[in-house]
Amino acid sequence: MKIWTVANQKGGVGKTTTTVSLGGILAKQGKRVLLIDTDPHASLTYYFGIDSEELEVSVYDIFARGTAMESEEILQALCPSTIENLDILPATMAIATLDRSMGNRNGMGLILKKTLAKINEHYDYAILDCPPVLGVLMVNALAASERVLIPVQTEFLALKGLDRMMRTMELMQSSQAKQYNYTIVPTMYDKRTKASLEAYKTLLANYEGFVWPGVIPVDTKFRDASLAQQAPIEYCPKSRGVFAYKALLEYLMKGS
């Protein structure tokens, strides 16, 4: 199973859209895909119409029980999506308490990695949607991942969030002796605006070799797809945004 983490220490840059879009396309290609929500806001969970507060088991239980959950219990906690081969491990607001209640517990940073190892044979891909803050949830998602995707809205303030994200990965690389394979994904690109053009040029100049050479354009179909609680590949398969994510996926698979 390949494990990708979608992360940035700024909200509203397209993390959940990227997770859902790539996961949906992979599933439509016949891959077995698991999307994991590690954000207390549960945007990924609600995207698919899952009311996580009514669930008996969620990603919170995986952290609360540590590595005690067996593979069958983990699989029972997953929710199917409307796309064949695409499942969701939902989040609840309770995971917002993890840093306070369990953050100092030994081994907490590797819970997700060890959990995913138990269901490795059931999926081809796992994609983790991260919260925009550094804590035990982001640490787990980064520790488990083989590739980090960093969506960056093509505007000035989002570049500041990218700076914070890069410093976080540098710190974790030092502490874990792990080199992250990461790709910066320019999102919400609007070629009509100077702000997008300048931000994109800055990304290419400052992070040469780590920026996907394409862009994810502004596409109102994404908003419509989330309203319909469907992955973009299902709701608007011929939209320009979906074509862009297909190009991104092709790029990532060549480098994987």
Side-chain angles (χ1 to χ4, degrees):
M1 176 170 58
K2 296 183 184 299
I3 303 172
W4 295 350
T5 290
V6 182
N8 195 333
Q9 285 179 249
K10 185 181 186 306
V13 297
K15 293 189 296 294
T16 299
T17 298
T18 297
T19 303
V20 172
S21 296
L22 292 177
I25 295 168
L26 282 166
K28 285 290 189 180
Q29 292 177 352
K31 306 296 184 184
R32 298 168 301 166
V33 184
L34 174 61
L35 303 184
I36 302 173
D37 195 347
T38 66
D39 189 342
H41 291 108
S43 296
L44 174 64
T45 301
Y46 291 123
Y47 188 107
F48 288 98
I50 302 167
D51 187 348
S52 59
E53 302 308 319
E54 294 186 358
L55 297 173
E56 292 184 8
V57 184
S58 72
V59 72
Y60 174 82
D61 298 275
I62 287 173
F63 284 97
R65 294 181 58 186
T67 56
M69 290 184 76
E70 299 297 331
S71 58
E72 289 305 313
E73 292 180 286
I74 298 166
L75 293 171
Q76 288 173 8
L78 309 181
C79 297
S81 74
T82 53
I83 298 179
E84 187 178 359
N85 298 321
L86 183 67
D87 294 332
I88 318 298
L89 177 54
T92 63
M93 283 292 293
I95 59 175
T97 67
L98 287 175
D99 281 289
R100 184 177 68 252
S101 61
M102 305 178 197
N104 295 323
R105 187 183 296 179
N106 287 336
M108 274 300 289
L110 297 174
I111 295 293
L112 272 182
K113 183 176 183 177
K114 293 177 179 179
T115 297
L116 290 175
K118 293 181 179 180
I119 57 171
N120 180 67
E121 64 185 36
H122 293 275
Y123 292 95
D124 300 304
Y125 286 85
I127 307 179
L128 288 68
D129 189 17
C130 276
V133 293
L134 178 60
V136 68
L137 293 162
M138 182 180 285
V139 167
N140 264 268
L142 290 174
S145 68
E146 299 164 359
R147 178 189 287 273
V148 181
L149 306 180
I150 310 174
V152 180
Q153 183 180 357
T154 47
E155 57 95 17
F156 177 72
L157 290 178
L159 300 185
K160 294 299 181 182
L162 175 59
D163 290 342
R164 291 193 296 274
M165 188 67 215
M166 298 307 298
R167 286 196 294 272
T168 293
M169 289 203 300
E170 287 173 6
L171 289 171
M172 289 193 62
Q173 282 178 164
S174 299
S175 64
Q176 296 179 351
K178 174 180 179 177
Q179 189 69 33
Y180 286 105
N181 178 13
Y182 70 91
T183 302
I184 296 169
V185 181
T187 61
M188 304 180 193
Y189 182 77
D190 187 345
K191 65 182 179 181
R192 300 168 299 177
T193 66
K194 183 178 179 181
S196 275
L197 293 170
E198 292 298 323
Y200 184 59
K201 287 180 183 178
T202 300
L203 281 176
L204 293 175
N206 293 350
Y207 299 97
E208 184 179 2
F210 295 99
V211 181
W212 173 49
V215 295
I216 305 298
V218 171
D219 191 341
T220 58
K221 291 292 185 181
F222 287 150
R223 195 174 302 151
D224 296 339
S226 65
L227 182 64
Q229 298 177 343
Q230 293 181 311
I233 187 64
E234 188 178 30
Y235 180 82
C236 50
K238 296 184 178 180
S239 68
R240 59 179 182 167
V242 169
F243 278 115
Y245 274 113
K246 283 183 175 179
L248 171 61
L249 181 60
E250 185 176 347
Y251 174 85
L252 295 172
M253 294 182 79
K254 282 181 179 178
S256 63

